[in-house]
Amino acid sequence: METLLGAIVLLALLGDLLRDLFNLLWKLKTKVLKWLGSPAHVECDLQRRAYFSQADFSRRRARSLRSRKRELRQRAALGYLGSDFKSAEAAQKIQRVNDPAKVSVQATGDPQKRKRHADNVENYRSAALQNDASAQFLLGHCYFNGLGVMKDECEAVRWFRKAAEQNFAKAQLILGLCYYHGDGLERDHAKSADWFQKAAMQNNAEAQFSLGNAYSTGEGVPKCQSEAFAWYLIAAAKHDRAAKSRDSFQTRMTRHTLAKGQRRAQELLALFKSGAGRVASGWNIAP
């Protein structure tokens, strides 16, 4: 196996070397034509630029697609909704990466699966009408992904909101993501950050990471690096990307900002332990 991987790496390096050599020879040809006074050097140079621009674009696109697949796998493993799950096709793409055998069943529209999804929707709806927050969230999930019902993001958001208003943390997170991406409603970063904050105060790691991002970029809240660092610190224990953001902050922030963020994180953790975090929201940032 190691020999095969080594051979693949060697072939990739050899391909890059041949490409660079080809580019160099083409440049040399252009300079020779220009030195000889031939007008063909202009067309030759344009052809070279067009060829290598397209090749570079293809390589960048391939890298981007690989990165996108990794992101989709991560979000699928976490089980979170968002703009990555705007259609059943997107979910199938994720499953194709993880388990190709599962895609063939969904792609053919397996009747048993359709019936199971439809039954689930009816069960969720019955409980949701009784004001069950978890059922409201699951019903929203079905509408968002078109599972057992026609896909309807607006209806999904309506059920997510009902669950979120009952302090169901995951629904608050998803509603924040819907506001952030503009899924099923008008994009509003301020409302997005507000819902992230409500879920974060219930110790939801994904919401804490998203709220840290909001404070880091100033989207929907006043930009505050110490507040962002505090949320990254709290989320880092359960969230890999938050841990990476925390480490990045530690290398580029001032000692004063880091110390301020650490104090803020300790205050928030104390609130979580006391149980006050479950109903707290609307934090004001100390100057």
Side-chain angles (χ1 to χ4, degrees), residues 72-73 76 80-99 102-103 106-107 141 144-147 151:
L72 288 173
R73 281 198 299 268
Y80 290 119
L81 303 174
S83 61
D84 296 332
F85 294 84
K86 284 188 175 181
S87 66
E89 288 79 13
Q92 289 179 6
K93 287 178 183 177
I94 298 167
Q95 288 186 343
R96 188 176 295 113
V97 174
N98 293 325
D99 189 352
K102 292 183 179 178
V103 181
Q106 285 201 358
H141 170 76
F144 199 93
N145 292 286
L147 300 174
K151 179 179 170 62

Side-chain angles (χ1 to χ4, degrees), residues 14-206:
L14 182 60
D16 287 340
L17 286 173
L18 289 173
R19 177 180 174 279
D20 292 339
L21 179 61
F22 185 41
N23 190 21
L24 181 63
L25 290 173
W26 208 333
K27 281 183 178 179
L28 183 61
K29 178 184 176 181
T30 304
K31 288 185 178 180
V32 169
L33 289 173
K34 186 177 182 181
W35 180 72
L36 292 174
S38 172
H41 79 275
V42 176
E43 184 179 355
C44 183
D45 188 58
L46 287 174
Q47 288 176 346
R48 182 189 66 80
R49 290 175 182 272
Y51 176 85
F52 284 102
S53 294
Q54 182 62 32
D56 287 337
F57 173 79
S58 298
R59 294 174 71 186
R60 289 196 301 271
R61 180 170 175 77
R63 286 196 297 268
S64 176
L65 287 173
R66 287 195 296 270
S67 175
R68 182 63 172 163
K69 283 182 179 180
R70 286 195 298 270
E71 178 72 13
L72 288 173
R73 281 198 299 268
Q74 290 171 355
R75 294 184 71 82
L78 288 168
Y80 290 119
L81 303 174
S83 61
D84 296 332
F85 294 84
K86 284 188 175 181
S87 66
E89 288 79 13
Q92 289 179 6
K93 287 178 183 177
I94 298 167
Q95 288 186 343
R96 188 176 295 113
V97 174
N98 293 325
D99 189 352
K102 292 183 179 178
V103 181
S104 59
V105 178
Q106 285 201 358
T108 56
D110 179 61
Q112 291 183 350
K113 276 200 168 185
R114 287 205 305 268
K115 184 178 185 305
R116 186 163 65 250
H117 287 316
D119 291 342
N120 287 340
V121 167
E122 291 309 311
N123 291 333
Y124 296 153
R125 192 188 306 279
S126 177
L129 292 173
Q130 300 298 319
N131 228 24
D132 185 300
S134 60
Q136 291 169 343
F137 170 76
L138 290 170
L139 184 57
H141 170 76
C142 290
Y143 274 109
F144 199 93
N145 292 286
L147 300 174
V149 289
M150 290 293 292
K151 179 179 170 62
D152 188 338
E153 291 183 355
C154 294
E155 185 68 7
V157 167
R158 187 171 78 87
W159 288 107
F160 287 148
R161 189 184 303 279
K162 285 179 178 293
E165 288 172 350
Q166 295 193 69
N167 286 329
F168 194 79
K170 197 168 183 180
Q172 292 172 337
L173 165 66
I174 301 306
L175 188 56
L177 288 171
C178 289
Y179 270 115
Y180 185 84
H181 295 292
D183 295 333
L185 37 68
E186 187 176 351
R187 180 176 293 184
D188 189 326
H189 286 166
K191 290 181 179 179
S192 170
D194 184 51
W195 285 111
F196 285 154
Q197 189 174 63
K198 289 176 180 178
M201 293 307 298
Q202 296 193 66
N203 216 10
N204 183 291
E206 181 73 11

